Amino acid sequence: MSVTSSATTGGASSLDDGPITSFHRRIMLVAMGGPFCDGYLLGVMGVALGLITPALALDTLWTGLIAASVLVGVFLGGAVFGPITDRVGRHLMYVLNLAAFVVFSALQFFVTEAWQLMVLRLLIGIAIGADYPIASALTTELVPRRMRGPALSGLVLAWWVGYGVSYWAGWALTGLGDDSWRWMLASGVVPALIFLVFRAGIPESPRWLASRGRIEEARAVVRKHLGQDVDTDELVSETRQEQRSGSGLGNLVEIFKRGYTVPVVFCSVFWICQVAPAFAVRSFQPQMLSAFGVESTYGASALITTIAVAGIALGLVVVNRIGRRSLLISTFICINVSLIALAVLPLHWAFLVVALFAAFQFFEAAGSGLQFVYPSELFPTDLRATGVGIATAMSRVGSATSTFLLPIAAEDLGVRGTLGVAVVITLAGLVVSYFLAPETKDLGLAEASSRS
């Protein structure tokens, strides 16, 4: 395959400025597999939970534990496997975590007790948490600068597509009787198997190889898959700015020691403030719609989720146009307006309730692409997966806590009071974003991480 060179005059182009090839598009497609499965596995629980509750005789405590267990797993997976990915590379875990999706999803069909389902959802969450730093790091390090924002936002688009598909699939499977929830949970095997096959043959990141001093292997990967000479001297100079830590778990200390505390705080807090209200609402959306007097709650939830997919598509289109900072701040403002309206307005029409829930999810989705973009751009190669892993883990502390507490809070505060708490959380996200969010859309990876 012959590829025209760009970027540097009279010779090789860099990974940041090279031409976009079919290989880059393939990387973007297969990276979407993990987020798609994540969205599907989380979303289908929103449909199945109402059927699981009587089948397994769940009380409020067990309902919250099962809903939150996958998010606790994501916390563990991100915190543990982010540093491991920086230590041993991206390639091996890229396949193993999807294999775990297949096995644990299938086993959900056979559960007979609440604790069994909770354990399996925890293990699924660990696999999901491992995929976030792997997929985002590999995508960031392989695609050119002008494709990076849309490609990383595309990971969240895949999450939303998976989430939306799960609602329609779950709704379709409700006709299978009392055990339909088993088929809903086990159906996650199908997308996981498909993407597992697609990931075969994806190489190791040449940036990571260069960061470990394996320059010839990095060159071989580039020449085989990109069909062009890349300025590997530039990759070497990038890695000289990065003091490699001695061990994977040591990266957790190294990331603070080397001055990346502000990016860690910013990425963790804005991510928490986006997902904590969003996960709680999505996990119990049918029940919340019912509390507002909406009938056909499953159909309304499927419609709302479909509209949310359009939100992340919008975010993907504008992330390189209006910039990361403007997108984050503007979507936080719109999220707040939607939640305040739900919390305080007298809503007597079902269509208005559905429209406000849809607006909340639309704007949350539009800004959520930055959950992959910012952490991937603000940390250097040898700490990238660690940074993404920490932000992922912290975000899931917030989302797991909110998902666990929502059914309890709803009993004490009511749905409107609970939405009022969500308003406070998203306002905090707006304030933090205003003061800490940088603009990175025109920067190369080395420049973006050096400005952190």
PDB file of all heavy atoms in Angstrom, residues 191-223:
ATOM      1  N   PRO A 191     -22.185  -9.135  20.882  1.00  0.00           N
ATOM      2  CA  PRO A 191     -21.258  -8.082  20.444  1.00  0.00           C
ATOM      3  C   PRO A 191     -19.829  -8.313  20.907  1.00  0.00           C
ATOM      4  O   PRO A 191     -18.879  -7.978  20.186  1.00  0.00           O
ATOM      5  CB  PRO A 191     -21.847  -6.802  21.057  1.00  0.00           C
ATOM      6  CG  PRO A 191     -22.704  -7.270  22.186  1.00  0.00           C
ATOM      7  CD  PRO A 191     -23.248  -8.596  21.757  1.00  0.00           C
ATOM      8  N   ALA A 192     -19.657  -8.898  22.101  1.00  0.00           N
ATOM      9  CA  ALA A 192     -18.299  -9.148  22.594  1.00  0.00           C
ATOM     10  C   ALA A 192     -17.553 -10.117  21.684  1.00  0.00           C
ATOM     11  O   ALA A 192     -16.367  -9.926  21.382  1.00  0.00           O
ATOM     12  CB  ALA A 192     -18.358  -9.688  24.028  1.00  0.00           C
ATOM     13  N   LEU A 193     -18.223 -11.159  21.220  1.00  0.00           N
ATOM     14  CA  LEU A 193     -17.588 -12.119  20.309  1.00  0.00           C
ATOM     15  C   LEU A 193     -17.225 -11.467  18.976  1.00  0.00           C
ATOM     16  O   LEU A 193     -16.150 -11.716  18.420  1.00  0.00           O
ATOM     17  CB  LEU A 193     -18.526 -13.305  20.063  1.00  0.00           C
ATOM     18  CG  LEU A 193     -18.431 -14.474  21.037  1.00  0.00           C
ATOM     19  CD1 LEU A 193     -19.505 -15.516  20.718  1.00  0.00           C
ATOM     20  CD2 LEU A 193     -17.045 -15.120  20.991  1.00  0.00           C
ATOM     21  N   ILE A 194     -18.117 -10.646  18.461  1.00  0.00           N
ATOM     22  CA  ILE A 194     -17.872  -9.994  17.176  1.00  0.00           C
ATOM     23  C   ILE A 194     -16.630  -9.106  17.246  1.00  0.00           C
ATOM     24  O   ILE A 194     -15.724  -9.194  16.400  1.00  0.00           O
ATOM     25  CB  ILE A 194     -19.101  -9.167  16.748  1.00  0.00           C
ATOM     26  CG1 ILE A 194     -20.271 -10.102  16.420  1.00  0.00           C
ATOM     27  CG2 ILE A 194     -18.768  -8.288  15.540  1.00  0.00           C
ATOM     28  CD1 ILE A 194     -21.587  -9.383  16.181  1.00  0.00           C
ATOM     29  N   PHE A 195     -16.539  -8.280  18.265  1.00  0.00           N
ATOM     30  CA  PHE A 195     -15.397  -7.377  18.370  1.00  0.00           C
ATOM     31  C   PHE A 195     -14.122  -8.116  18.757  1.00  0.00           C
ATOM     32  O   PHE A 195     -13.017  -7.673  18.412  1.00  0.00           O
ATOM     33  CB  PHE A 195     -15.701  -6.259  19.367  1.00  0.00           C
ATOM     34  CG  PHE A 195     -16.572  -5.179  18.804  1.00  0.00           C
ATOM     35  CD1 PHE A 195     -17.902  -5.071  19.176  1.00  0.00           C
ATOM     36  CD2 PHE A 195     -16.069  -4.272  17.891  1.00  0.00           C
ATOM     37  CE1 PHE A 195     -18.716  -4.070  18.655  1.00  0.00           C
ATOM     38  CE2 PHE A 195     -16.870  -3.270  17.351  1.00  0.00           C
ATOM     39  CZ  PHE A 195     -18.196  -3.169  17.736  1.00  0.00           C
ATOM     40  N   LEU A 196     -14.255  -9.241  19.451  1.00  0.00           N
ATOM     41  CA  LEU A 196     -13.076 -10.047  19.781  1.00  0.00           C
ATOM     42  C   LEU A 196     -12.402 -10.531  18.504  1.00  0.00           C
ATOM     43  O   LEU A 196     -11.171 -10.509  18.379  1.00  0.00           O
ATOM     44  CB  LEU A 196     -13.490 -11.236  20.656  1.00  0.00           C
ATOM     45  CG  LEU A 196     -12.370 -12.157  21.156  1.00  0.00           C
ATOM     46  CD1 LEU A 196     -11.367 -11.387  21.993  1.00  0.00           C
ATOM     47  CD2 LEU A 196     -12.964 -13.300  21.971  1.00  0.00           C
ATOM     48  N   VAL A 197     -13.195 -10.953  17.533  1.00  0.00           N
ATOM     49  CA  VAL A 197     -12.661 -11.390  16.237  1.00  0.00           C
ATOM     50  C   VAL A 197     -12.007 -10.215  15.504  1.00  0.00           C
ATOM     51  O   VAL A 197     -10.912 -10.336  14.937  1.00  0.00           O
ATOM     52  CB  VAL A 197     -13.785 -12.009  15.374  1.00  0.00           C
ATOM     53  CG1 VAL A 197     -13.276 -12.295  13.960  1.00  0.00           C
ATOM     54  CG2 VAL A 197     -14.297 -13.299  16.015  1.00  0.00           C
ATOM     55  N   PHE A 198     -12.655  -9.042  15.532  1.00  0.00           N
ATOM     56  CA  PHE A 198     -12.120  -7.880  14.825  1.00  0.00           C
ATOM     57  C   PHE A 198     -10.784  -7.408  15.394  1.00  0.00           C
ATOM     58  O   PHE A 198      -9.977  -6.808  14.682  1.00  0.00           O
ATOM     59  CB  PHE A 198     -13.125  -6.722  14.877  1.00  0.00           C
ATOM     60  CG  PHE A 198     -14.310  -6.889  13.972  1.00  0.00           C
ATOM     61  CD1 PHE A 198     -15.460  -6.120  14.147  1.00  0.00           C
ATOM     62  CD2 PHE A 198     -14.290  -7.816  12.950  1.00  0.00           C
ATOM     63  CE1 PHE A 198     -16.555  -6.266  13.307  1.00  0.00           C
ATOM     64  CE2 PHE A 198     -15.382  -7.975  12.103  1.00  0.00           C
ATOM     65  CZ  PHE A 198     -16.510  -7.203  12.282  1.00  0.00           C
ATOM     66  N   ARG A 199     -10.548  -7.652  16.679  1.00  0.00           N
ATOM     67  CA  ARG A 199      -9.317  -7.157  17.300  1.00  0.00           C
ATOM     68  C   ARG A 199      -8.091  -8.012  16.984  1.00  0.00           C
ATOM     69  O   ARG A 199      -6.968  -7.616  17.294  1.00  0.00           O
ATOM     70  CB  ARG A 199      -9.494  -7.067  18.821  1.00  0.00           C
ATOM     71  CG  ARG A 199     -10.279  -5.854  19.249  1.00  0.00           C
ATOM     72  CD  ARG A 199     -10.256  -5.635  20.748  1.00  0.00           C
ATOM     73  NE  ARG A 199     -10.973  -4.416  21.105  1.00  0.00           N
ATOM     74  CZ  ARG A 199     -11.072  -3.945  22.343  1.00  0.00           C
ATOM     75  NH1 ARG A 199     -10.520  -4.596  23.354  1.00  0.00           N
ATOM     76  NH2 ARG A 199     -11.734  -2.825  22.580  1.00  0.00           N
ATOM     77  N   ALA A 200      -8.289  -9.172  16.386  1.00  0.00           N
ATOM     78  CA  ALA A 200      -7.161 -10.034  16.041  1.00  0.00           C
ATOM     79  C   ALA A 200      -6.237  -9.301  15.068  1.00  0.00           C
ATOM     80  O   ALA A 200      -6.679  -8.715  14.087  1.00  0.00           O
ATOM     81  CB  ALA A 200      -7.676 -11.323  15.411  1.00  0.00           C
ATOM     82  N   GLY A 201      -4.958  -9.320  15.344  1.00  0.00           N
ATOM     83  CA  GLY A 201      -3.988  -8.721  14.427  1.00  0.00           C
ATOM     84  C   GLY A 201      -3.673  -7.270  14.676  1.00  0.00           C
ATOM     85  O   GLY A 201      -2.830  -6.694  13.969  1.00  0.00           O
ATOM     86  N   ILE A 202      -4.324  -6.633  15.647  1.00  0.00           N
ATOM     87  CA  ILE A 202      -3.981  -5.237  15.967  1.00  0.00           C
ATOM     88  C   ILE A 202      -2.608  -5.214  16.643  1.00  0.00           C
ATOM     89  O   ILE A 202      -2.358  -5.960  17.592  1.00  0.00           O
ATOM     90  CB  ILE A 202      -5.046  -4.617  16.896  1.00  0.00           C
ATOM     91  CG1 ILE A 202      -6.392  -4.543  16.174  1.00  0.00           C
ATOM     92  CG2 ILE A 202      -4.608  -3.230  17.351  1.00  0.00           C
ATOM     93  CD1 ILE A 202      -6.389  -3.674  14.943  1.00  0.00           C
ATOM     94  N   PRO A 203      -1.675  -4.372  16.169  1.00  0.00           N
ATOM     95  CA  PRO A 203      -0.307  -4.395  16.691  1.00  0.00           C
ATOM     96  C   PRO A 203      -0.155  -3.619  17.995  1.00  0.00           C
ATOM     97  O   PRO A 203      -1.067  -2.925  18.437  1.00  0.00           O
ATOM     98  CB  PRO A 203       0.482  -3.712  15.570  1.00  0.00           C
ATOM     99  CG  PRO A 203      -0.490  -2.698  15.030  1.00  0.00           C
ATOM    100  CD  PRO A 203      -1.850  -3.375  15.094  1.00  0.00           C
ATOM    101  N   GLU A 204       1.029  -3.721  18.559  1.00  0.00           N
ATOM    102  CA  GLU A 204       1.381  -2.915  19.712  1.00  0.00           C
ATOM    103  C   GLU A 204       1.579  -1.462  19.269  1.00  0.00           C
ATOM    104  O   GLU A 204       1.893  -1.176  18.116  1.00  0.00           O
ATOM    105  CB  GLU A 204       2.674  -3.462  20.350  1.00  0.00           C
ATOM    106  CG  GLU A 204       3.115  -2.758  21.617  1.00  0.00           C
ATOM    107  CD  GLU A 204       2.043  -2.761  22.698  1.00  0.00           C
ATOM    108  OE1 GLU A 204       1.962  -3.745  23.448  1.00  0.00           O
ATOM    109  OE2 GLU A 204       1.286  -1.764  22.768  1.00  0.00           O
ATOM    110  N   SER A 205       1.381  -0.536  20.192  1.00  0.00           N
ATOM    111  CA  SER A 205       1.566   0.880  19.903  1.00  0.00           C
ATOM    112  C   SER A 205       3.048   1.192  19.658  1.00  0.00           C
ATOM    113  O   SER A 205       3.898   0.898  20.513  1.00  0.00           O
ATOM    114  CB  SER A 205       1.071   1.720  21.082  1.00  0.00           C
ATOM    115  OG  SER A 205       1.626   3.011  21.050  1.00  0.00           O
ATOM    116  N   PRO A 206       3.383   1.795  18.498  1.00  0.00           N
ATOM    117  CA  PRO A 206       4.784   2.152  18.271  1.00  0.00           C
ATOM    118  C   PRO A 206       5.293   3.220  19.241  1.00  0.00           C
ATOM    119  O   PRO A 206       6.475   3.240  19.578  1.00  0.00           O
ATOM    120  CB  PRO A 206       4.785   2.659  16.822  1.00  0.00           C
ATOM    121  CG  PRO A 206       3.378   3.025  16.518  1.00  0.00           C
ATOM    122  CD  PRO A 206       2.523   2.112  17.341  1.00  0.00           C
ATOM    123  N   ARG A 207       4.410   4.099  19.687  1.00  0.00           N
ATOM    124  CA  ARG A 207       4.841   5.086  20.690  1.00  0.00           C
ATOM    125  C   ARG A 207       5.240   4.386  21.985  1.00  0.00           C
ATOM    126  O   ARG A 207       6.226   4.755  22.620  1.00  0.00           O
ATOM    127  CB  ARG A 207       3.719   6.093  20.958  1.00  0.00           C
ATOM    128  CG  ARG A 207       3.486   7.106  19.842  1.00  0.00           C
ATOM    129  CD  ARG A 207       2.420   8.112  20.284  1.00  0.00           C
ATOM    130  NE  ARG A 207       2.021   9.004  19.217  1.00  0.00           N
ATOM    131  CZ  ARG A 207       2.604  10.153  18.933  1.00  0.00           C
ATOM    132  NH1 ARG A 207       3.637  10.544  19.660  1.00  0.00           N
ATOM    133  NH2 ARG A 207       2.167  10.912  17.951  1.00  0.00           N
ATOM    134  N   TRP A 208       4.440   3.389  22.389  1.00  0.00           N
ATOM    135  CA  TRP A 208       4.795   2.675  23.617  1.00  0.00           C
ATOM    136  C   TRP A 208       6.096   1.910  23.423  1.00  0.00           C
ATOM    137  O   TRP A 208       6.962   1.918  24.309  1.00  0.00           O
ATOM    138  CB  TRP A 208       3.674   1.704  24.009  1.00  0.00           C
ATOM    139  CG  TRP A 208       3.990   0.979  25.282  1.00  0.00           C
ATOM    140  CD1 TRP A 208       3.785   1.418  26.562  1.00  0.00           C
ATOM    141  CD2 TRP A 208       4.610  -0.301  25.411  1.00  0.00           C
ATOM    142  NE1 TRP A 208       4.241   0.495  27.477  1.00  0.00           N
ATOM    143  CE2 TRP A 208       4.749  -0.576  26.796  1.00  0.00           C
ATOM    144  CE3 TRP A 208       5.064  -1.249  24.483  1.00  0.00           C
ATOM    145  CZ2 TRP A 208       5.325  -1.757  27.276  1.00  0.00           C
ATOM    146  CZ3 TRP A 208       5.637  -2.425  24.958  1.00  0.00           C
ATOM    147  CH2 TRP A 208       5.761  -2.672  26.336  1.00  0.00           C
ATOM    148  N   LEU A 209       6.255   1.267  22.274  1.00  0.00           N
ATOM    149  CA  LEU A 209       7.504   0.537  22.006  1.00  0.00           C
ATOM    150  C   LEU A 209       8.699   1.481  22.068  1.00  0.00           C
ATOM    151  O   LEU A 209       9.741   1.149  22.660  1.00  0.00           O
ATOM    152  CB  LEU A 209       7.422  -0.138  20.632  1.00  0.00           C
ATOM    153  CG  LEU A 209       6.467  -1.328  20.524  1.00  0.00           C
ATOM    154  CD1 LEU A 209       6.284  -1.729  19.063  1.00  0.00           C
ATOM    155  CD2 LEU A 209       6.976  -2.521  21.333  1.00  0.00           C
ATOM    156  N   ALA A 210       8.557   2.665  21.462  1.00  0.00           N
ATOM    157  CA  ALA A 210       9.651   3.632  21.495  1.00  0.00           C
ATOM    158  C   ALA A 210       9.935   4.097  22.915  1.00  0.00           C
ATOM    159  O   ALA A 210      11.088   4.296  23.306  1.00  0.00           O
ATOM    160  CB  ALA A 210       9.314   4.831  20.604  1.00  0.00           C
ATOM    161  N   SER A 211       8.873   4.249  23.720  1.00  0.00           N
ATOM    162  CA  SER A 211       9.060   4.694  25.104  1.00  0.00           C
ATOM    163  C   SER A 211       9.805   3.668  25.936  1.00  0.00           C
ATOM    164  O   SER A 211      10.392   4.006  26.959  1.00  0.00           O
ATOM    165  CB  SER A 211       7.698   5.001  25.752  1.00  0.00           C
ATOM    166  OG  SER A 211       7.028   3.817  26.123  1.00  0.00           O
ATOM    167  N   ARG A 212       9.792   2.403  25.473  1.00  0.00           N
ATOM    168  CA  ARG A 212      10.528   1.348  26.179  1.00  0.00           C
ATOM    169  C   ARG A 212      11.883   1.082  25.536  1.00  0.00           C
ATOM    170  O   ARG A 212      12.558   0.105  25.869  1.00  0.00           O
ATOM    171  CB  ARG A 212       9.718   0.042  26.194  1.00  0.00           C
ATOM    172  CG  ARG A 212       8.264   0.173  26.592  1.00  0.00           C
ATOM    173  CD  ARG A 212       8.074   0.879  27.920  1.00  0.00           C
ATOM    174  NE  ARG A 212       8.541   0.110  29.062  1.00  0.00           N
ATOM    175  CZ  ARG A 212       8.417   0.496  30.321  1.00  0.00           C
ATOM    176  NH1 ARG A 212       7.849   1.659  30.592  1.00  0.00           N
ATOM    177  NH2 ARG A 212       8.863  -0.262  31.302  1.00  0.00           N
ATOM    178  N   GLY A 213      12.276   1.932  24.576  1.00  0.00           N
ATOM    179  CA  GLY A 213      13.573   1.770  23.929  1.00  0.00           C
ATOM    180  C   GLY A 213      13.586   0.756  22.798  1.00  0.00           C
ATOM    181  O   GLY A 213      14.650   0.448  22.244  1.00  0.00           O
ATOM    182  N   ARG A 214      12.418   0.266  22.385  1.00  0.00           N
ATOM    183  CA  ARG A 214      12.337  -0.770  21.339  1.00  0.00           C
ATOM    184  C   ARG A 214      12.053  -0.083  19.996  1.00  0.00           C
ATOM    185  O   ARG A 214      11.013  -0.247  19.373  1.00  0.00           O
ATOM    186  CB  ARG A 214      11.259  -1.777  21.709  1.00  0.00           C
ATOM    187  CG  ARG A 214      11.627  -2.556  22.980  1.00  0.00           C
ATOM    188  CD  ARG A 214      10.436  -3.146  23.711  1.00  0.00           C
ATOM    189  NE  ARG A 214       9.708  -4.124  22.926  1.00  0.00           N
ATOM    190  CZ  ARG A 214       8.659  -4.817  23.398  1.00  0.00           C
ATOM    191  NH1 ARG A 214       8.244  -4.623  24.652  1.00  0.00           N
ATOM    192  NH2 ARG A 214       8.033  -5.681  22.637  1.00  0.00           N
ATOM    193  N   ILE A 215      13.036   0.691  19.526  1.00  0.00           N
ATOM    194  CA  ILE A 215      12.854   1.565  18.369  1.00  0.00           C
ATOM    195  C   ILE A 215      12.652   0.765  17.085  1.00  0.00           C
ATOM    196  O   ILE A 215      11.799   1.114  16.254  1.00  0.00           O
ATOM    197  CB  ILE A 215      14.064   2.507  18.214  1.00  0.00           C
ATOM    198  CG1 ILE A 215      14.286   3.298  19.514  1.00  0.00           C
ATOM    199  CG2 ILE A 215      13.853   3.443  17.036  1.00  0.00           C
ATOM    200  CD1 ILE A 215      13.120   4.146  19.924  1.00  0.00           C
ATOM    201  N   GLU A 216      13.428  -0.285  16.885  1.00  0.00           N
ATOM    202  CA  GLU A 216      13.301  -1.060  15.654  1.00  0.00           C
ATOM    203  C   GLU A 216      11.933  -1.726  15.555  1.00  0.00           C
ATOM    204  O   GLU A 216      11.350  -1.821  14.476  1.00  0.00           O
ATOM    205  CB  GLU A 216      14.417  -2.099  15.564  1.00  0.00           C
ATOM    206  CG  GLU A 216      15.795  -1.500  15.299  1.00  0.00           C
ATOM    207  CD  GLU A 216      15.797  -0.589  14.079  1.00  0.00           C
ATOM    208  OE1 GLU A 216      15.225  -0.975  13.033  1.00  0.00           O
ATOM    209  OE2 GLU A 216      16.349   0.517  14.171  1.00  0.00           O
ATOM    210  N   GLU A 217      11.405  -2.215  16.682  1.00  0.00           N
ATOM    211  CA  GLU A 217      10.056  -2.797  16.675  1.00  0.00           C
ATOM    212  C   GLU A 217       9.020  -1.733  16.339  1.00  0.00           C
ATOM    213  O   GLU A 217       8.046  -1.993  15.616  1.00  0.00           O
ATOM    214  CB  GLU A 217       9.746  -3.424  18.032  1.00  0.00           C
ATOM    215  CG  GLU A 217      10.563  -4.659  18.355  1.00  0.00           C
ATOM    216  CD  GLU A 217      10.225  -5.203  19.736  1.00  0.00           C
ATOM    217  OE1 GLU A 217       9.064  -5.628  19.929  1.00  0.00           O
ATOM    218  OE2 GLU A 217      11.107  -5.174  20.618  1.00  0.00           O
ATOM    219  N   ALA A 218       9.222  -0.521  16.854  1.00  0.00           N
ATOM    220  CA  ALA A 218       8.301   0.580  16.549  1.00  0.00           C
ATOM    221  C   ALA A 218       8.324   0.896  15.055  1.00  0.00           C
ATOM    222  O   ALA A 218       7.282   1.076  14.425  1.00  0.00           O
ATOM    223  CB  ALA A 218       8.672   1.823  17.365  1.00  0.00           C
ATOM    224  N   ARG A 219       9.520   0.946  14.480  1.00  0.00           N
ATOM    225  CA  ARG A 219       9.630   1.204  13.043  1.00  0.00           C
ATOM    226  C   ARG A 219       8.946   0.115  12.230  1.00  0.00           C
ATOM    227  O   ARG A 219       8.275   0.392  11.225  1.00  0.00           O
ATOM    228  CB  ARG A 219      11.113   1.275  12.639  1.00  0.00           C
ATOM    229  CG  ARG A 219      11.821   2.540  13.074  1.00  0.00           C
ATOM    230  CD  ARG A 219      13.137   2.694  12.308  1.00  0.00           C
ATOM    231  NE  ARG A 219      13.830   3.901  12.711  1.00  0.00           N
ATOM    232  CZ  ARG A 219      14.950   3.913  13.436  1.00  0.00           C
ATOM    233  NH1 ARG A 219      15.488   2.786  13.850  1.00  0.00           N
ATOM    234  NH2 ARG A 219      15.518   5.062  13.742  1.00  0.00           N
ATOM    235  N   ALA A 220       9.108  -1.140  12.661  1.00  0.00           N
ATOM    236  CA  ALA A 220       8.509  -2.257  11.927  1.00  0.00           C
ATOM    237  C   ALA A 220       6.981  -2.168  11.933  1.00  0.00           C
ATOM    238  O   ALA A 220       6.321  -2.424  10.922  1.00  0.00           O
ATOM    239  CB  ALA A 220       8.977  -3.580  12.523  1.00  0.00           C
ATOM    240  N   VAL A 221       6.423  -1.806  13.088  1.00  0.00           N
ATOM    241  CA  VAL A 221       4.965  -1.657  13.179  1.00  0.00           C
ATOM    242  C   VAL A 221       4.479  -0.559  12.239  1.00  0.00           C
ATOM    243  O   VAL A 221       3.504  -0.723  11.498  1.00  0.00           O
ATOM    244  CB  VAL A 221       4.536  -1.349  14.630  1.00  0.00           C
ATOM    245  CG1 VAL A 221       3.065  -0.926  14.686  1.00  0.00           C
ATOM    246  CG2 VAL A 221       4.764  -2.564  15.528  1.00  0.00           C
ATOM    247  N   VAL A 222       5.177   0.565  12.242  1.00  0.00           N
ATOM    248  CA  VAL A 222       4.776   1.699  11.405  1.00  0.00           C
ATOM    249  C   VAL A 222       4.851   1.332   9.930  1.00  0.00           C
ATOM    250  O   VAL A 222       3.921   1.587   9.150  1.00  0.00           O
ATOM    251  CB  VAL A 222       5.655   2.921  11.708  1.00  0.00           C
ATOM    252  CG1 VAL A 222       5.431   4.014  10.672  1.00  0.00           C
ATOM    253  CG2 VAL A 222       5.349   3.450  13.103  1.00  0.00           C
ATOM    254  N   ARG A 223       5.953   0.717   9.513  1.00  0.00           N
ATOM    255  CA  ARG A 223       6.130   0.400   8.098  1.00  0.00           C
ATOM    256  C   ARG A 223       5.134  -0.655   7.627  1.00  0.00           C
ATOM    257  O   ARG A 223       4.629  -0.578   6.506  1.00  0.00           O
ATOM    258  CB  ARG A 223       7.551  -0.072   7.849  1.00  0.00           C
ATOM    259  CG  ARG A 223       8.566   1.066   7.946  1.00  0.00           C
ATOM    260  CD  ARG A 223       9.994   0.579   7.957  1.00  0.00           C
ATOM    261  NE  ARG A 223      10.920   1.706   8.097  1.00  0.00           N
ATOM    262  CZ  ARG A 223      12.205   1.576   8.404  1.00  0.00           C
ATOM    263  NH1 ARG A 223      12.719   0.369   8.610  1.00  0.00           N
ATOM    264  NH2 ARG A 223      12.966   2.640   8.504  1.00  0.00           N
TER     265      ARG A 223
END
